[in-house]
């Protein structure tokens, strides 16, 4: 099973000044995912789907996601609005019509996907309350033998980028306590930081996915600014190889298709081949 993760698409309303060209970047990400020879079974977008939580932005997001050839699962980030997200994606059955949170389980593939809603309206930081953590513990307890991936917007760890860490996740210690009791959790997939980061967390592996558009400059201490940089965007591909080998995570840069110089054709080494035309980018 292959799970593709993209994040922080930050789509604006059509016609609005798109300084960061987020719509163009998402269209490119969709084309990138559709072109994978091994097609992902599903795509999860880990929050900050749109920029201001407006209905017109979600409708624009729908249009941009329409060409995707695989199911897509959405969850909110701090730039989102639950009500408008539900309204614009009313046909997405996993998004409950009512209730304070958009937590859900996707149980249709070998790896279970559990989405957690960390949005606190009007706040850049996130939160998991006791009720959500109890819900998570129940979901994990009901299927202890099923490999599980948790997806949520705010990462439950500090990044070292000081300004971003000021907008972290309340409830991360309690989340860690739940995860330690449930070793079937293969990954905790997050967004928010607009950078690829991987670390050990509560007996599992937690990571953040780059944005499909703008990245946060890697300013490690003692720097304490927050700046965007147009580093190459990327998606993450989480490949489940089965009980024995578990999950492998690949970072896949989103770029125009480049020609391949084949070294081995699966049966033997290809002798004397030369780089194809266009192999060296100009
Ligand atoms: Fe974001």
């Amino acid at each position: 099973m292959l799970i593709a993760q993209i994040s922080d698409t930050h789509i604006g309303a059509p016609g609005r000044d798109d300084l960061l060209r987020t719509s163009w970047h998402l269209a490119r990400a969709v084309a990138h995912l559709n072109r994978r020879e091994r097609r992902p079974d599903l795509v999860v977008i880990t929050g900050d789907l749109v920029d201001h939580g407006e209905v017109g932005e979600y409708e624009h997001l729908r249009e941009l996601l329409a060409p995707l050839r695989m199911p897509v699962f959405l969850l909110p980030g701090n730039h989102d609005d639950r009500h408008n997200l539900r309204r614009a994606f009313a046909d997405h059955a996993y998004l409950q019509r009512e209730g304070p949170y958009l937590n859900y389980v996707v149980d249709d593939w070998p790896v279970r996907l559990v989405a957690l809603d960390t949005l606190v309206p009007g706040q850049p930081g996130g939160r998991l309350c006791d009720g959500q953590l109890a819900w998570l513990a129940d979901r994990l307890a009901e299927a202890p033998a099923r490999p599980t991936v948790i997806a949520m917007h705010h990462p439950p760890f500090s990044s070292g980028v000081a300004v971003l860490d000021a907008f972290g996740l309340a409830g991360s210690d309690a989340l860690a306590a739940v995860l330690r009791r449930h070793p079937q959790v293969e990954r905790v997939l997050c967004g928010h930081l607009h950078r690829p980061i991987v670390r050990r967390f509560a007996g599992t592996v937690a990571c953040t996915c780059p944005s499909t558009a703008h990245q946060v400059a890697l300013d490690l201490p003692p720097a304490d600014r927050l700046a965007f940089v147009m580093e190459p965007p990327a998606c993450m591909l989480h490949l489940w190889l089965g009980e024995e080998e578990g999950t492998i995570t690949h970072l896949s840069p989103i770029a125009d298709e480049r020609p391949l110089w084949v070294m081995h054709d699966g049966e033997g080494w290809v002798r004397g081949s030369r780089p194809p035309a266009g192999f060296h980018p100009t």
Side-chain angles (χ1 to χ4, degrees), residues 140 161 209 236 239 253 271:
L140 295 174
V161 178
C209 181
M236 288 177 124
L239 178 63
R271 303 281 174 205

Side-chain angles (χ1 to χ4, degrees), residues 125-148:
R127 183 176 60 217
L128 288 173
C129 70
D130 291 347
Q132 285 174 285
L133 290 164
W135 177 88
L136 173 66
D138 288 347
R139 299 292 74 72
L140 295 174
E142 73 194 6
R146 293 283 310 282
T148 300

Side-chain angles (χ1 to χ4, degrees), residues 8 10 48 153 192 194:
D8 294 79
H10 284 273
D48 281 2
H153 181 66
H192 192 50
H194 292 227

Side-chain angles (χ1 to χ4, degrees), residues 7-161:
S7 200
D8 294 79
T9 47
H10 284 273
I11 297 304
R16 188 182 280 162
D17 200 9
D18 190 1
L19 283 177
L20 296 162
R21 301 179 72 200
T22 57
S23 308
W24 180 83
H25 279 291
L26 178 54
R28 212 163 169 240
V30 166
H32 178 79
L33 293 171
N34 282 342
R35 281 205 293 274
R36 296 306 89 210
E37 198 167 66
R38 166 75 184 261
R39 184 174 296 177
D41 293 277
L42 63 90
V43 180
V44 60
I45 311 184
T46 40
D48 281 2
L49 308 169
V50 301
D51 223 16
H52 304 95
E54 295 169 6
V55 174
E57 296 180 325
Y58 287 112
E59 285 167 354
H60 193 197
L61 175 69
R62 270 192 85 98
E63 283 170 29
L64 291 161
L65 293 176
L68 261 185
R69 295 185 190 143
M70 59 293 279
V72 61
F73 295 90
L74 310 173
L75 60 91
N78 48 292
H79 282 255
D80 289 297
D81 178 283
R82 292 188 188 100
H83 177 72
N84 290 340
L85 171 58
R86 282 173 161 137
R87 232 173 97 185
F89 289 89
D91 56 328
H92 283 221
Y94 60 88
L95 294 173
Q96 312 103 313
R97 301 272 58 84
E98 289 175 9
Y101 302 109
L102 288 170
N103 304 318
Y104 57 87
V105 178
V106 178
D107 236 342
D108 305 333
W109 283 275
V111 176
R112 259 185 139 202
L113 174 69
V114 179
L116 294 175
D117 173 352
T118 57
L119 167 64
V120 181
Q123 300 289 326
R127 183 176 60 217
L128 288 173
C129 70
D130 291 347
Q132 285 174 285
L133 290 164
W135 177 88
L136 173 66
D138 288 347
R139 299 292 74 72
L140 295 174
E142 73 194 6
R146 293 283 310 282
T148 300
V149 160
I150 293 174
M152 55 199 249
H153 181 66
H154 293 85
F157 56 82
S158 297
S159 67
V161 178

